[in-house]
């Protein structure tokens, strides 16, 4: 696995620091007085890529919350560009009147967040905010308004810290690029 890494884009330490900062911002915005007693928080990580980000982030948000899950596929298998977002499964509970914070690993074309935001609104969420760890430097990604962004990165294919290639590399602690021989080998 280590041999396949081309470059470390964001090391573990820097990710941890930024996740802590995001948790503080989110806590300040979602503390009960801010929500005016109008409903509680549900965190919705987009599976599978957001699992590690969500695990690290929510343990630093000391507010009552429920967790809902949604599985979206847009980079199936060995794709390195979006093939169009599709909801594969959802386990969201009753969202009516709840404040929902959607978490995703990376904002690329915006298709995934747009799709899930509309699903959450249809289910009666009182508010829907979005947080992404990474945002790619491309016009489509900037067109979608997101409330919290961890890092803006160049428009390159990255893996690690939850992000995969063919469902591998999610367990790398850093966010990295892969050698071209790894990506090009697969169809
Ligand atoms: P979007 O729907 O915004 O085009 O893409 C978001 C989804 O595509 C992310 O949730 C992630 O699963 C996947 N994705 C986008 N860019 C990358 C990337 O550079 N690396 C990996 N591993 N997945 C990506
Ligand atoms: Mg994803």
């Amino acid at each position: 696995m280590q041999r396949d890494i081309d470059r470390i884009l964001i090391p573990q330490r820097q990710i941890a620091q930024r996740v802590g900062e995001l948790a503080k911002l989110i806590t300040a915005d979602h503390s009960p007085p801010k929500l005016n007693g109008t409903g509680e928080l549900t965190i919705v990580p987009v599976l599978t890529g957001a699992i590690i980000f969500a695990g690290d982030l929510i343990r630093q948000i000391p507010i009552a919350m429920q967790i809902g899950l949604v599985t979206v596929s847009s980079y199936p298998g060995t794709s390195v560009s979006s093939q169009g977002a599709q909801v594969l499964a959802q386990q969201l509970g009753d969202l009516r009147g709840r404040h929902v914070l959607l978490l995703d690993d990376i904002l690329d074309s915006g298709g995934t967040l747009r799709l899930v935001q509309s699903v959450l609104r249809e289910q009666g969420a009182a508010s829907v905010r979005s947080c992404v760890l990474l945002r790619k430097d491309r016009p489509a990604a900037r067109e979608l308004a997101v409330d919290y962004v961890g890092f803006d990165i160049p428009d390159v294919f990255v893996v690690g810290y939850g992000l995969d290639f063919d469902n591998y590399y999610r367990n790398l602690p850093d966010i990295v690029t892969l050698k071209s021989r790894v990506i090009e080998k697969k169809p």
Side-chain angles (χ1 to χ4, degrees):
M1 195 167 66
Q2 309 300 327
R3 286 183 323 182
D4 299 340
I5 296 173
D6 178 36
R7 189 161 79 85
I8 295 182
L9 203 64
I10 312 174
Q12 185 173 13
R13 198 176 16 85
Q14 209 179 324
I15 300 170
Q17 190 193 335
R18 185 65 184 140
V19 170
E21 290 168 7
L22 289 173
K24 285 208 175 71
L25 292 171
I26 292 166
T27 301
D29 289 348
H30 293 80
S31 293
K34 277 268 170 71
L35 298 181
N36 294 325
T38 58
E40 286 190 343
L41 181 60
T42 297
I43 303 267
V44 177
V46 179
L47 302 183
T48 306
I51 55 169
I52 294 177
F53 176 40
D56 284 347
L57 183 78
I58 65 173
R59 285 177 297 164
Q60 300 181 68
I61 304 177
I63 297 176
M65 63 170 72
Q66 292 186 339
I67 296 184
L69 300 173
V70 62
T71 303
V72 178
S73 172
S74 51
Y75 275 50
T78 54
S79 329
V80 291
S81 63
S82 178
Q83 308 296 307
Q86 215 186 334
V87 174
L88 299 183
Q90 48 178 299
Q91 190 182 314
L92 292 166
D94 185 357
L95 296 181
R96 283 173 298 177
R98 298 188 69 89
H99 296 284
V100 177
L101 178 65
L102 186 54
L103 298 182
D104 205 0
D105 49 6
I106 186 163
L107 172 57
D108 182 11
S109 72
T112 300
L113 285 188
R114 222 173 257 124
L115 176 69
V116 180
Q117 282 172 351
S118 74
V119 168
L120 299 171
R121 291 203 178 97
E122 271 167 25
Q123 297 194 14
S127 70
V128 178
R129 289 188 174 124
S130 304
C131 171
V132 293
L133 180 66
L134 308 172
R135 176 170 63 186
K136 282 195 185 172
D137 184 14
R138 53 178 289 198
R142 289 186 179 276
E143 265 168 31
L144 190 83
V146 283
D147 302 276
Y148 310 94
V149 177
F151 299 94
D152 281 301
I153 63 163
D155 188 5
V156 291
F157 185 76
V158 293
V159 299
Y161 199 71
L163 292 123
D164 75 304
F165 176 63
D166 201 17
N167 215 9
Y168 289 99
Y169 306 105
R170 294 193 195 276
N171 55 323
L172 286 172
D174 308 307
I175 290 167
V176 307
T177 56
L178 293 174
K179 290 189 176 139
S180 50
R181 64 159 172 82
V182 178
I183 293 173
E184 282 160 10
K185 212 173 56 188
K186 309 258 179 160

